[in-house]
Amino acid sequence: MSLFGAMISGVSGLNAQSQNLGVISDNISNLNTVGYKGTVGRFSTLVTETASNTRYTPGGVLFHPTALISKQGLLQATSSNTAAAISGDGFFIVRDTSNPGTNDELFFTRAGDFKPDNDGYLRNTAGYYVQGWATDREGGLLDADGNTTSSNSSAVTDLQVLDINSILTAAASTTSIEFGANLNADETAVTGGTSTSTTLGIDYDTTDLTTLAGINNGDQFTITHDGTTTTITINTGDTLEDLAAAISAVTGITATTTTTGTNDTLTLTGAFADQGVTIANLTGTPFSATGINFAGVPGTLAPTYTAGDLATGTVAEDNTMPVTIYDSLGSSHTVNLQVVKLGQNRWAFELTGQTTAGHLDAADHPNGLIQAGTLTFDGAGNLQTFNGVAATIGGVTVGTTGALSNADISAEWTNGSEDSTITLDFGTLGLSNGITQFAAGADANGNLVNYTTHFINQNGAQAGTMVNYALTEEGFLQVEFANGVKRPVYKLAIATFEAADELENHTGNVYRQTRESGDYLLREPGLNGAGNVVASALEGSNVDLGEEFTNMIVTQRAYSANTKTITTTDEMLDELIRIKR
């Protein structure tokens, strides 16, 4: 009957409100728990029988605890350099052991109060160990086998417990050398290949060349330089001076004449010492035994500089810039950037080092050559091109050919260290933020300085022991060594869920994945929907104490009201029983 139904409904109300008080009590007791996510009580009706116009059967109420897992808590600064909070979506991935197996359960938490245990593994207050990816020295993610990976293609088996003792001593092999210097634009260039005519009886500005034996009006010859061929025609009335002007107008070659007026000669010179110039008769034989005689022409004005000549001493350098670099063992090596001017706005460079014991391998680096190349500059003194040139010394090819702006060069050592892979940075093409070419200038004291070195930077260092460690805003566990090197060794992994509020609570302020929450996705901090890591901060509880006290009052009143329902129903039943008496 309805009286019993009313009593049962009241009992269900007592049960629901008592459970709600338990939720409130739990929230208040965890007010200062790092990363704690509060729970709110929700209620729904319980219908035992469909009501009609003349009959109603009370059912009662059902209680539904609802976790506010996705609600952000307040971030609070802390002095701990291994503490971290997440601002946004996602969870730290943790394990309950420092050496987890592949079948050990994963847990997820927002409690980032991590500190190293006795073995150096980072764990939070509840004893859960945080996981992430091992990284290379540039911060790239590594899989379980040490190969480069990404969060999108990575598996949970690639994650490791963060260990501050993973690298106690480290050296930093030089991988980049930056040069900032000015090369003297007024430097005298190495003279290119040259040849001088030997035909007698020519006045440079009056003798008509077509009157010479073997030269006729319309005779032609070609000049080929750097893959470009130019045709020059000798016409009636052309003099040696006219011919010199026509030749000098061709890129890669200059022509000059003597001006004595008797037995004048024409001298041909390659404009760039590293580039040959080929001259060939095309129509007639203007350059032959019966025309204008040159040694080796028709033929090629050969280069007077080839890559490697600075290393061998065949050509003297104009300037040298030394720099100390380091290999993978932290051993130091002095290398020299040598430069020589090849022609207008064109220079050669060679990076060389020592081949004595413990330094460069002479078999791979004859005469200590590491890399040769060329630099060209525009009319404003800015770097225009920066190319490598492979050199051959004693049958050994050294270096690479092609643009070096984003290319690596290699150095092999004899001290047992790994080969060094180095990027040379001479500045941005078109800008004056690296190597430039301007005329010699004066220093602060007014002294003339032909070559100025503004800076030489390299990123290597000798071996040093760990002196500090910290989590960074990018989510890296960064270790600092006594040699000044700072390098990332791990990166925190963030797990995101489609329905984070459906995760299952577990002791220690951690959560388990459920069917309703969906599968976790591995993310790097701040990428693909994952929240950002805030270093040296903790996420506080998301419980509002004022709201909890208000809910407590409401719950208390609701509980009291339900007791009144029960006592009233009891009185009515008592009256019903008295009818029989």
Side-chain angles (χ1 to χ4, degrees), residues 179 183 310 316-323 334-340 350 352 451 453 456:
F179 289 92
L183 308 183
L310 297 181
E317 75 275 7
D318 291 327
N319 190 48
T320 297
M321 290 173 274
V323 56
T334 299
V335 296
N336 298 292
L337 183 69
Q338 300 175 294
V339 294
V340 64
E350 293 183 16
T352 61
Y451 291 87
T453 301
I456 301 177

Side-chain angles (χ1 to χ4, degrees), residues 429-452:
L429 300 183
L431 299 179
S432 57
N433 58 1
I435 293 184
T436 57
Q437 180 199 243
F438 295 100
D443 62 14
N445 298 318
N447 300 315
L448 183 67
V449 179
N450 289 321
Y451 291 87
T452 303

Side-chain angles (χ1 to χ4, degrees), residues 79-84 112-116 122 164 469-471 477 536-537:
S79 59
S80 174
N81 56 5
T82 53
D113 49 339
F114 305 117
K115 291 184 178 180
L122 290 187
I164 63 170
Y469 53 85
L471 290 171
L477 176 60
S536 295

Side-chain angles (χ1 to χ4, degrees), residues 38-279:
T39 302
V40 295
R42 300 286 185 251
F43 304 92
S44 66
T45 58
L46 176 61
V47 178
T48 59
E49 185 178 329
T50 304
S52 67
N53 291 334
T54 60
R55 181 179 179 84
Y56 182 85
T57 303
V61 64
L62 290 176
F63 178 74
H64 302 278
T66 303
L68 302 178
I69 299 174
S70 59
K71 181 181 177 182
Q72 178 78 46
L74 181 67
L75 301 187
Q76 304 167 345
T78 176
S79 59
S80 174
N81 56 5
T82 53
I86 299 175
S87 177
D89 294 336
F91 300 82
F92 298 116
I93 300 174
V94 294
R95 304 267 196 167
D96 57 5
T97 175
S98 61
N99 296 295
T102 55
N103 296 323
D104 286 343
E105 186 175 7
L106 283 177
F107 297 96
F108 310 92
T109 188
R110 299 275 292 196
D113 49 339
F114 305 117
K115 291 184 178 180
D117 66 6
N118 293 335
D119 297 318
Y121 297 106
L122 290 187
R123 66 177 181 181
N124 64 14
T125 302
Y128 287 90
Y129 294 86
V130 66
Q131 291 201 298
W133 292 278
T135 66
D136 59 25
R137 62 179 292 182
E138 305 300 329
L141 306 186
L142 302 177
D143 63 18
D145 298 320
N147 301 315
T148 301
T149 187
S150 68
S151 58
N152 290 332
S153 60
S154 182
V156 71
T157 52
D158 293 330
L159 302 183
Q160 302 177 27
V161 173
L162 273 60
D163 179 12
I164 63 170
N165 292 332
S166 60
I167 302 180
L168 295 177
T169 302
S173 176
T174 298
T175 60
S176 174
I177 309 176
E178 300 175 349
F179 289 92
N182 182 63
L183 308 183
N184 184 8
D186 294 332
E187 182 66 75
T188 301
V190 176
T191 302
T194 185
S195 185
T196 300
S197 64
T198 58
T199 303
L200 301 177
I202 300 177
D203 186 326
Y204 79 100
D205 63 346
T206 61
T207 301
D208 182 347
L209 297 181
T210 61
T211 64
L212 299 177
I215 301 179
N216 300 303
N217 179 46
D219 278 358
Q220 295 179 317
F221 61 94
T222 60
I223 299 175
T224 301
H225 167 261
D226 198 25
T228 299
T229 298
T230 303
T231 299
I232 294 180
T233 303
I234 300 177
N235 299 307
T236 299
D238 283 349
T239 64
L240 203 62
E241 186 177 43
D242 296 327
L243 184 59
I247 293 173
S248 294
V250 178
T251 300
I253 189 172
T254 60
T256 58
T257 68
T258 57
T259 57
T260 61
T262 304
N263 295 328
D264 285 322
T265 58
L266 176 68
T267 299
L268 306 178
T269 304
F272 304 104
D274 62 324
Q275 297 175 338
V277 181
T278 300
I279 302 171

Side-chain angles (χ1 to χ4, degrees), residues 348-426:
F349 75 87
E350 293 183 16
L351 188 68
T352 61
Q354 303 173 357
T355 56
T356 53
H359 294 285
L360 288 171
D361 188 341
D364 297 310
H365 301 281
N367 293 98
L369 180 64
I370 300 173
Q371 178 67 53
T374 58
L375 304 172
T376 63
F377 298 88
D378 60 24
N382 301 319
L383 185 65
Q384 190 173 45
T385 64
F386 166 38
N387 296 320
V389 177
T392 300
I393 301 177
V396 178
T397 300
V398 183
T400 184
T401 296
L404 289 179
S405 297
N406 295 304
D408 294 328
I409 63 175
S410 179
E412 290 76 31
W413 314 103
T414 58
N415 63 347
S417 65
E418 296 176 349
D419 296 345
S420 293
T421 301
I422 302 171
T423 300
L424 297 179
D425 185 353
F426 288 176

